[in-house]
Amino acid sequence: MAYCGIAELFVYLQGITKKHEIMRRGKGTFPFLIFIFTILVLSCSKERERSHSDKDFERVGVAVRQQKPEARAMVDSALAVARDSMTYYDYYFLLGNLYMVNAPDSALMCANHILQFAQRQEPSPRVNGIAGSAYNLRANYYYLYHQNADEVIKDNKEAYRLFMQSDIINNAPAICANIGDAYRQLNLLTDAASWYRRALVLADSINLPKGKRTSFYIGLGVTYYMLEDYDLSEECFAKSKENYDSMHINMKMTYLNNYGNLQYYKKDYPKALSVFQQLDSLIAELNLRGGFEDYLCRINMADVLQNLGRTKESLATLAPADSFFRAKGVGDGIYYANTIRIANALQKNDMGTVSSIIASEPKSLTQDENMLDIRNRYLHDYYVKTGNTRLADYYEELHQQRRDSIENSQEHMRAKDIVARLTIDTLQLHNQLRIEEKNAVIQRNLLVSAVVVSIVLVIALALLVWTLYLRKRNADKEQEIANLKIATVRNSMSPHFIFNVLKHATTLDVHDAEDTIRSVIKLMHSQIDISREMFVPLRRELEFTQAYIDTAATTMGDDFSFKLIAPEGEQLDECLVPSTFVQILVENAIKHGLRGLDRPKTLTVAIDNKENMTTIEVTDNGRGFDVRNHNTRYSNEGTGTGLRVILNTINYYNSRHRDAILFDIDNVLDDKGETQGCRSVLSIDKSQLKKEK
């Protein structure tokens, strides 16, 4: 058989203590390596809302995931300055993941402390996310260091329940797959398949990227070939292969090893050999010769070569792997190597070698049912050839029991498949109905909004003309009408801004006043048009921003200057940006930073358009902002609507495309540390937002 899991897996990860170097890992290649990688990736998820900087948390999370030497110091520093309990336990969770590698008992302590904290809080999506992460951390500990599948299932089911009611629901599919892994370890294959399918259904319902579903398809594919449903297994591996180029290295090796196993069980030995040779080339390319991955691949190839009748090549390939497993005391590896030697000896009718292997082999080297079943078939053949009918019948009966168990599982699987498919169809139908209903509501709202805005614009224009006509006769009347116009304009265009421009217009002669009013109307038309789209070309956004500045400049005095630094050509047409973002930043700079200053006022918009990243920097020489209050630019001024629009939009798109948009705002300081203005920086990953086109 093609070896799909060494029960006593020794692990080459820096920092792993010798005590945990050899451990049982169940069925599946490198489960410890991949499991460590998966939980560290989950630990750095950015799905939740935090009171601290997502950018800082991601930076520390990356260091933890990559096990950088400075990761512990970074976590300790973040814990020391955490502003609230939620933030503290976010970083405490990262500390637990650090401990998982080199101090597992401390990782368990971290998980329990986080749970004690969460249980004292009022339930909320945020608290549920923290508690679910702690249950998952504890489940990982039981999986990696105690092989306690029952505890793994119990804690991960609780993590799944909490994640489904949390602000990090995107982590729930991975938890489903973890539960599937544990059930597969217990050889409860129908339950394992059910949880893998649940992971896939959930991933589809929350639009999880296809690349993050690869491990779910591999787990389900392995489960199906263990149940000898090779057609469904092929379908799962075909889905996995779609994302092969973007897979992590460990995931690529897992895919190739298990896909080779599938071909082995199908008895397509030439194709199995081809897949394992591809894995062997990858190992050589990654300079992993002499490690566990290398010898696992070799022993699988040795088994395939033996089934192809290439006995000499099989034994030559097996020899170094056999020596490696014996030197490390890996029971499953020793047992598997002996099975291949027995198969080779039976082909040559060398009963003495078979007898010697059986007599010298220690008991209970493996509990892997697949390996035991293959050995039992070879032993049946051996005892038939040696005339021991009693033992031949005994091993034939064991093999038949195994066949009956698989057939029984297949029947259960078929029943569960029917229920699962009905569930999937129902869920997809409900999702489709919800989407159609939402689209209908949106269309109605758009129509109503268009009618209301048109009426408001007509009324506003009429009122403004009437106001200009009567301004010398009734100044109070003119002001009242202007205020009415401001109150009816859409919230996305600052009422204070319109008010200031119109107030300034009252001081001008009729001709200049009419020009000013036309510019306001043109700007409002542009704003209504551009705000209907979530993303617009950068050139269009800058044109809208320039129109706003041209209008706003009429109220800023002669000492106000604006400068635009931007590339020329088609670059501005190819880059997409969130609509009105630049205008909002400019409006905040004028409103809160520059307006009312009794010194020259400058405002600069600088565009840096690189291959995959566009950076937009808005800088003023105004009053700066209060760094202690992120909701508004000033703790005592304004509503902060503009910045809330920006932050909410960024949070939404980053939940779908990680780090698609980054935003930062800080004060510009002089050499003495005094505030000399404000800088807002918007960074947009063009490759991510191409999907929004």
Side-chain angles (χ1 to χ4, degrees):
M1 67 173 230
Y3 183 43
C4 67
I6 285 183
E8 297 169 1
L9 171 63
F10 54 92
V11 182
Y12 291 100
L13 284 179
Q14 291 182 347
I16 299 296
T17 59
K18 186 66 177 177
K19 174 182 178 182
H20 299 291
E21 188 174 319
I22 299 175
M23 320 177 69
R24 176 166 179 79
R25 295 297 158 218
K27 298 176 175 66
T29 310
F30 324 129
F32 183 66
L33 292 172
I34 298 162
F35 205 74
I36 281 286
F37 172 73
T38 302
I39 63 176
L40 290 180
V41 169
L42 285 176
S43 76
C44 303
S45 170
K46 291 179 59 181
E47 299 300 331
R48 66 184 68 187
E49 297 178 0
R50 299 185 178 89
S51 61
H52 56 286
S53 168
D54 275 346
K55 189 174 181 180
D56 290 341
F57 186 79
E58 173 65 11
R59 179 172 54 83
V60 179
V62 169
V64 171
R65 182 173 68 236
Q66 297 176 353
Q67 293 291 290
K68 291 184 176 180
E70 65 270 22
R72 177 59 190 272
M74 293 171 69
V75 172
D76 288 343
S77 176
L79 287 170
V81 299
R83 298 178 181 178
D84 54 63
S85 297
M86 297 292 189
T87 302
Y88 180 87
Y89 282 99
D90 275 333
Y91 284 107
Y92 199 63
F93 175 63
L94 294 185
L95 178 63
N97 280 278
L98 275 178
Y99 282 142
M100 188 66 72
V101 174
N102 49 29
D105 290 339
S106 296
L108 178 62
M109 177 195 70
C110 286
N112 288 332
H113 283 178
I114 296 171
L115 285 174
Q116 291 170 7
F117 163 76
Q119 289 164 359
R120 295 194 300 268
Q121 312 307 310
E122 288 293 326
S124 70
R126 181 85 161 84
V127 172
N128 289 344
I130 290 176
S133 298
Y135 275 112
N136 179 232
L137 181 63
R138 195 166 73 178
N140 297 338
Y141 168 81
Y142 288 129
Y143 182 91
L144 296 172
Y145 297 102
H146 290 279
Q147 289 298 295
N148 189 333
D150 291 332
E151 288 296 327
V152 171
I153 292 170
K154 177 182 175 183
D155 279 354
N156 269 330
K157 282 187 175 180
E158 185 62 18
Y160 169 73
R161 184 187 69 81
L162 290 165
F163 280 154
M164 291 298 293
Q165 305 172 48
S166 77
D167 54 355
I168 49 175
I169 190 175
N170 281 13
N171 287 350
I175 301 302
C176 294
N178 288 350
I179 297 172
D181 291 340
Y183 275 121
R184 203 176 71 201
Q185 182 182 2
L186 293 172
N187 204 40
L188 298 174
L189 301 180
T190 55
D191 292 307
S194 176
W195 279 96
Y196 287 129
R197 285 194 298 269
R198 183 178 301 194
L200 290 167
V201 172
L202 184 56
D204 182 62
S205 67
I206 63 176
N207 294 319
L208 196 69
K210 290 184 178 180
K212 294 186 177 182
R213 310 179 193 190
T214 302
S215 62
F216 310 157
Y217 281 116
I218 292 177
L220 188 57
V222 171
T223 304
Y224 276 133
Y225 76 57
M226 291 173 67
L227 286 167
E228 299 184 5
D229 195 332
Y230 301 131
D231 290 339
L232 285 178
S233 183
E234 282 280 9
E235 290 180 13
C236 292
F237 280 104
K239 288 286 188 181
S240 303
K241 190 177 181 181
E242 292 175 2
N243 302 296
Y244 181 83
D245 292 338
S246 61
M247 287 182 193
H248 187 271
I249 291 169
N250 286 341
M251 193 63 70
K252 284 184 177 180
M253 291 190 289
T254 300
Y255 166 77
L256 290 173
N257 187 82
N258 283 296
Y259 190 55
N261 293 342
L262 169 60
Q263 305 310 317
Y264 173 90
Y265 287 120
K266 291 173 63 177
K267 294 183 170 41
D268 189 346
Y269 300 121
K271 187 171 182 179
L273 181 60
S274 175
V275 175
F276 286 126
Q277 286 173 337
Q278 184 181 351
L279 175 58
D280 184 64
S281 297
L282 180 62
I283 290 170
E285 177 184 339
L286 298 173
N287 296 318
L288 296 176
R289 290 292 186 207
F292 169 74
E293 303 90 345
D294 185 19
Y295 293 113
L296 173 63
C297 181
R298 293 191 189 198
I299 200 170
N300 282 334
M301 290 176 67
D303 193 2
V304 174
L305 289 167
Q306 182 271 322
N307 280 278
L308 288 170
R310 296 158 64 173
T311 303
K312 289 185 179 180
E313 292 178 71
S314 173
L315 293 175
T317 304
L318 175 65
D322 189 14
S323 299
F324 181 77
F325 295 139
R326 291 182 189 277
K328 296 295 182 179
V330 181
D332 279 7
I334 297 170
Y335 188 89
Y336 187 21
N338 284 342
T339 299
I340 296 173
R341 294 187 186 280
I342 289 173
N344 276 297
L346 287 173
Q347 280 188 346
K348 295 184 291 187
N349 208 29
D350 182 2
M351 301 299 113
T353 297
V354 178
S355 178
S356 176
I357 292 173
I358 295 172
S360 61
E361 185 178 68
K363 302 298 183 183
S364 302
L365 282 175
T366 185
Q367 299 298 320
D368 189 299
E369 294 190 11
N370 288 324
M371 286 197 288
L372 291 170
D373 184 55
I374 296 297
R375 173 71 71 86
N376 290 343
R377 283 187 283 154
Y378 288 138
L379 291 179
H380 169 266
D381 295 342
Y382 166 70
Y383 286 117
V384 167
K385 290 184 177 182
T386 57
N388 190 333
T389 57
R390 183 181 64 83
L391 286 178
D393 291 342
Y394 169 73
Y395 284 107
E396 176 64 25
E397 182 179 352
L398 289 179
H399 176 64
Q400 188 57 47
Q401 289 175 358
R402 170 71 173 168
R403 303 302 310 152
D404 292 342
S405 175
I406 290 176
E407 290 176 3
N408 185 52
S409 296
Q410 288 174 338
E411 290 299 324
H412 285 290
M413 181 70 77
R414 292 188 186 99
K416 287 196 172 185
D417 271 344
I418 294 173
V419 175
R421 293 178 193 281
L422 288 174
T423 302
I424 294 172
D425 292 341
T426 302
L427 179 61
Q428 291 175 339
L429 178 59
H430 287 172
N431 285 341
Q432 183 178 357
L433 290 174
R434 283 196 296 269
I435 291 171
E436 290 177 355
E437 182 180 355
K438 183 180 294 184
N439 288 337
V441 171
I442 291 173
Q443 292 298 325
R444 287 197 300 271
N445 290 341
L446 285 175
L447 180 59
V448 171
S449 298
V451 172
V452 170
V453 169
S454 299
I455 294 173
V456 168
L457 287 175
V458 171
I459 294 174
L461 181 60
L463 290 174
L464 285 173
V465 172
W466 183 251
T467 299
L468 288 173
Y469 177 75
L470 298 176
R471 64 179 180 174
K472 291 183 179 180
R473 296 174 55 188
N474 194 344
D476 292 337
K477 180 73 173 179
E478 175 191 33
Q479 191 65 52
E480 179 182 352
I481 295 174
N483 288 338
L484 178 60
K485 186 270 173 188
I486 293 171
T488 54
V489 172
R490 294 181 60 185
N491 288 333
S492 56
M493 182 63 70
S494 169
H496 298 290
F497 166 71
I498 301 295
F499 174 78
N500 288 333
V501 175
L502 294 177
K503 184 177 180 181
H504 178 71
T506 63
T507 66
L508 304 175
D509 58 35
V510 173
H511 178 73
D512 290 339
E514 288 179 350
D515 287 344
T516 300
I517 293 171
R518 288 191 189 96
S519 69
V520 171
I521 295 173
K522 181 180 178 181
L523 180 62
M524 292 174 66
H525 272 294
S526 299
Q527 190 277 332
I528 292 171
D529 183 53
I530 200 172
S531 64
R532 288 174 178 170
E533 302 179 50
M534 293 303 296
F535 288 87
V536 297
L538 181 54
R539 183 185 301 280
R540 188 175 170 194
E541 174 70 10
L542 292 178
E543 290 173 351
F544 173 60
T545 302
Q546 183 67 60
Y548 172 83
I549 291 173
D550 291 343
T551 304
T554 62
T555 67
M556 294 296 290
D558 295 336
D559 60 352
F560 170 74
S561 62
F562 169 70
K563 184 178 182 181
L564 173 63
I565 304 172
E568 298 180 354
E570 298 180 354
Q571 295 186 52
L572 297 181
D573 297 311
E574 296 173 352
C575 175
L576 291 178
V577 297
S579 65
T580 75
F581 265 32
V582 180
Q583 183 270 329
I584 289 173
L585 295 178
V586 166
E587 182 177 356
N588 276 356
I590 292 175
K591 178 181 177 182
H592 297 298
L594 299 175
R595 189 178 300 283
L597 285 183
D598 58 357
R599 64 171 190 267
K601 302 174 279 291
T602 62
L603 177 62
T604 302
V605 176
I607 310 296
D608 184 7
N609 192 32
K610 297 179 180 178
E611 182 178 356
N612 290 322
M613 180 70 69
T614 297
T615 302
I616 303 169
E617 185 175 303
V618 179
T619 307
D620 65 68
N621 68 338
R623 303 180 183 87
F625 76 104
D626 187 349
V627 297
R628 296 166 298 178
N629 193 322
H630 285 231
N631 292 326
T632 64
R633 184 151 177 191
Y634 294 96
S635 58
N636 60 350
E637 286 191 46
T639 64
T641 301
L643 286 183
R644 280 202 301 273
V645 169
I646 289 178
L647 294 176
N648 289 340
T649 304
I650 288 174
N651 286 337
Y652 170 71
Y653 278 95
N654 283 353
S655 70
R656 299 173 61 190
H657 310 293
R658 175 176 257 183
D659 291 340
I661 309 173
L662 299 178
F663 176 67
D664 194 19
I665 182 170
D666 58 7
N667 285 327
V668 178
L669 306 178
D670 61 14
D671 296 338
K672 297 179 181 180
E674 296 182 356
T675 300
Q676 294 296 311
C678 177
R679 180 190 298 109
S680 301
V681 181
L682 192 67
S683 300
I684 302 172
D685 187 335
K686 293 192 288 187
S687 64
Q688 291 279 16
L689 293 185
K690 282 179 182 177
K691 305 167 187 175
E692 300 297 335
K693 228 170 184 180

